[in-house]
Amino acid sequence: MNNKERADEYFRENKSKIKDIDRPVYHFTPDIGWMNDPNGFSYFDGEYHLFYQYNPYDIKWGPMHWGHAKSKDFVDWERLPVALAPDDEIKGQCFSGTAIVEGDKHTLIYTLHNDDKEEQAVAIGDGTEYKCISNEAAIKTEDLPEGFSGVDFRDPKIWKEDDIYYCIVSAKNDEGLGTILLFESKDLLEWKYVGILFENDGKYGKMWECPDFFMLGKKYVLVISVMEMKAKKRKYFNGHQVIYFVGDYDKKSHKFIPDTKGKTLDFGFDYYAPQSLYADGRTLSVAWLHDWGNDLTPEGAKWCGQMTYPREIILNGKNIYQMPAKELESDYKNRYSTSFTLNKNEKYVDEDLNSRVARFDFDITNVDANKLTIFFAADDDYNSFIKINMKKRTAKFSRRFSYLSKDAMDERKIDIDICDGKLSLCVLIDRYSIEIFINNGKQVLTSRIYTPLDANEIRFLADGKVDINVCKNEIE
């Protein structure tokens, strides 16, 4: 029995130990074990495929496999056999990577991780079974330019253009800074180093991970997951975070030329390693709804790790806007809409709004208030809230009272736009997460919560008059 078969057997024997009530409704999770980065997000043979970093044997990071699932609506997922497993064909753990589709060929490229180096390997499959095209790595440490050792050389992003395969890979240079290297190949077997697509000038953390590079509208976007970032006002925050650059790609010099400084893609506590997918005229993105710096998993849990609900992303000027993918609408039920006016220091609760698994859309018009607070997953003991300061034009998200049992980052404040007293909020709440989209997704905050499921109220409080229209769609 090889490692793929062993992982699948363990999964079959243990998945029934977890009840559906103990996992999210519409955010993807592993059926058992640990999951981190999304991998190989792609549209193949009429369905969306999602691979992911996977340790089936524990709820902690461990021997990295590629788990695999497919879906048509991002809610109902069919779990498929493990796609890649450590040591089965080429020695090493199977770290993150991406996929491309060519007819009936589904090609995966991923990092082969050993203790002393990382290299890139290629596997090809039919949507269920995948096999490496060689018994050795395709992009080797010997292909690296001077100044790079093969330590922290990972997370390939592949695409094809004019019959040539291109691949960018993150690498740490001899100054300890992240660099995006570009390689090319005609056959997926032999790869040639082309040059540096883009490099860290020291302003954006240290090591860069999980690069994504794609066209959005008429511009190119480079998305990077940053390690050891330092906070700067409310633009960036400390630790792991995701930033993006918008610019142009000079195909002759193979250089990415940004028009903007790095911008934060998601301001929440739990968002990392996003991957994009272009399909059906849209660019979609999914990310790991988790953070390396905070272990919040409750004792006794049998799974760890969830994904954001996929988002459609567009470029508005030089800013990325993100909103939930339209597929979610097919799972709506129990629609409820209402309008009301909050008065000064009035606490407002509408029982028909209460839910722990729903999408809420708010249109807010300020009359004479300075602050508005909306509480989610609330009862008399617990809540998570967003507080809007109308005068200062800020939003603060807090999960301080969301039943956390460990010390963790629990509040974050960002600058927002409020034009003529108006703003919009779209909020996705699931059993163990909350995603807040501000002003049609110009800013997003994504975070885990572990509040008891019977805390399901939506409460409102303002220090002046505010008009609110809200629509709730529960999700089944």
Side-chain angles (χ1 to χ4, degrees):
M1 181 182 295
N2 63 31
N3 282 341
K4 287 183 187 177
E5 294 167 339
R6 187 174 294 109
D8 286 329
E9 181 180 68
Y10 183 86
F11 163 75
R12 288 191 300 269
E13 292 177 350
N14 290 277
K15 67 175 182 177
S16 62
K17 295 179 180 179
I18 307 177
K19 299 177 182 178
D20 286 344
I21 192 65
D22 294 327
R23 63 174 68 255
V25 171
Y26 63 99
H27 287 76
F28 181 82
T29 63
D31 276 330
I32 192 167
W34 163 277
M35 177 182 74
N36 56 283
D37 307 354
N39 296 156
F41 188 38
S42 49
Y43 188 75
F44 179 70
D45 196 23
E47 296 177 291
Y48 296 100
H49 284 251
L50 178 65
F51 303 83
Y52 47 95
Q53 292 285 276
Y54 182 44
N55 175 17
Y57 305 112
D58 200 342
I59 62 167
K60 297 180 180 179
W61 188 94
M64 282 292 99
H65 302 61
W66 271 36
H68 186 196
K70 65 180 182 179
S71 176
K72 291 185 178 180
D73 66 354
F74 304 127
V75 174
D76 297 314
W77 291 90
E78 179 185 350
R79 265 65 173 186
L80 297 169
V82 167
L84 302 170
D87 299 327
D88 271 358
E89 298 183 73
I90 313 176
K91 187 177 181 181
Q93 295 188 56
C94 304
F95 276 21
S96 290
T98 52
I100 58 170
V101 175
E102 298 178 87
D104 61 356
K105 185 172 71 173
H106 202 193
T107 300
L108 314 180
I109 185 165
Y110 64 99
T111 295
L112 193 65
H113 174 85
N114 288 290
D115 291 337
D116 58 343
K117 65 180 180 181
E118 292 177 325
E119 298 180 311
Q120 319 313 314
V122 176
I124 295 178
D126 60 2
T128 303
E129 297 292 333
Y130 296 83
K131 184 175 180 59
C132 291
I133 63 174
S134 171
N135 59 4
E136 61 180 6
I139 306 178
K140 307 175 181 65
T141 54
E142 62 195 53
D143 298 321
L144 286 165
E146 185 178 350
F148 297 87
S149 67
V151 176
D152 292 329
F153 172 47
R154 57 179 174 266
D155 308 335
K157 164 64 187 277
I158 190 172
W159 73 95
K160 191 176 185 181
E161 191 172 350
D162 298 328
D163 294 323
I164 296 176
Y165 297 96
Y166 293 95
C167 179
I168 56 171
V169 189
S170 282
K172 182 187 290 184
N173 63 23
D174 54 12
E175 295 179 357
L177 298 177
T179 308
I180 308 300
L181 304 180
L182 178 64
F183 298 83
E184 67 177 20
S185 174
K186 294 181 179 180
D187 59 6
L188 295 172
L189 286 165
E190 300 292 330
W191 291 82
K192 180 179 71 174
Y193 169 70
V194 175
I196 293 175
L197 182 85
F198 192 60
E199 58 188 332
N200 191 354
D201 59 6
K203 296 179 181 178
Y204 302 102
K206 298 291 185 180
M207 177 59 186
W208 288 352
E209 298 186 298
C210 304
D212 198 2
F213 187 55
F214 54 93
M215 283 198 74
L216 197 57
K218 296 182 179 180
K219 305 294 284 187
Y220 279 85
V221 173
L222 178 64
V223 178
I224 299 165
S225 295
V226 180
M227 301 173 68
E228 298 181 65
M229 191 71 175
K230 299 297 182 186
K232 183 177 181 181
K233 296 183 179 178
R234 297 190 186 114
K235 294 181 178 179
Y236 313 119
F237 46 85
N238 294 317
H240 291 78
Q241 73 170 98
V242 179
I243 61 173
Y244 70 93
F245 301 85
V246 176
D248 297 301
Y249 176 42
D250 185 337
K251 295 184 180 180
K252 291 183 178 179
S253 65
H254 297 292
K255 298 289 187 184
F256 172 65
I257 305 160
D259 295 339
T260 64
K261 295 181 179 179
K263 298 182 179 182
T264 297
L265 191 56
D266 191 298
F267 291 86
F269 303 110
D270 297 297
Y271 182 90
Y272 202 67
Q275 281 202 356
S276 67
L277 158 66
Y278 183 79
D280 189 30
R282 301 174 297 164
T283 299
L284 302 173
S285 179
V286 67
W288 186 38
L289 206 165
H290 204 91
D291 177 69
W292 289 113
N294 285 296
D295 177 14
L296 304 180
T297 308
E299 288 190 22
K302 293 182 174 63
W303 61 269
C304 182
Q306 57 187 318
M307 299 298 182
T308 62
Y309 187 80
R311 303 168 181 177
E312 181 176 356
I313 61 175
I314 63 171
L315 194 62
N316 188 335
K318 295 182 180 180
N319 296 305
I320 286 180
Y321 281 57
Q322 310 171 74
M323 288 294 284
K326 64 183 180 181
E327 281 79 0
L328 188 61
E329 296 172 8
S330 64
D331 291 277
Y332 289 170
K333 66 174 184 178
N334 299 335
R335 180 184 176 90
Y336 174 70
S337 298
T338 187
S339 300
F340 54 90
T341 297
L342 287 177
N343 294 305
K344 185 175 182 179
N345 297 328
E346 175 188 11
K347 296 180 180 179
Y348 183 85
V349 178
D350 181 341
E351 291 185 359
D352 290 322
L353 283 174
N354 295 345
S355 181
R356 276 296 292 273
V357 185
R359 170 176 172 164
F360 297 89
D361 289 279
F362 301 88
D363 288 315
I364 299 167
T365 302
N366 181 36
V367 179
D368 61 9
N370 288 320
K371 296 177 183 179
L372 164 68
T373 306
I374 305 175
F375 301 87
F376 299 92
D379 61 13
D380 290 340
D381 296 313
Y382 306 113
N383 65 71
S384 297
F385 67 78
I386 183 166
K387 179 179 287 186
I388 308 296
N389 189 311
M390 304 291 188
K391 187 174 182 180
K392 295 183 179 179
R393 298 182 181 180
T394 62
K396 181 175 76 172
F397 174 73
S398 173
R399 62 177 178 186
R400 179 165 294 176
F401 304 105
S402 67
Y403 196 66
L404 296 179
S405 59
K406 303 174 184 179
D407 189 22
M409 294 180 292
D410 56 21
E411 291 190 341
R412 182 161 287 157
K413 183 183 288 187
I414 63 173
D415 297 310
I416 62 172
D417 295 329
I418 300 178
C419 299
D420 299 324
K422 299 180 183 295
L423 76 154
S424 67
L425 300 176
C426 168
V427 179
L428 298 184
I429 188 165
D430 206 341
R431 290 171 177 156
Y432 305 106
S433 66
I434 183 168
E435 300 178 69
I436 302 173
F437 302 80
I438 301 174
N439 290 331
N440 299 310
K442 183 176 182 180
Q443 290 142 313
V444 189
L445 300 104
T446 300
S447 299
R448 287 170 290 166
I449 59 172
Y450 291 101
T451 316
L453 299 184
D454 55 1
N456 69 344
E457 291 186 4
I458 309 298
R459 299 180 176 186
F460 302 83
L461 178 65
D463 63 358
K465 185 174 289 187
V466 180
D467 293 329
I468 297 178
N469 298 321
V470 57
C471 177
K472 179 192 77 170
N473 285 286
E474 294 186 346
I475 298 167
E476 60 183 4

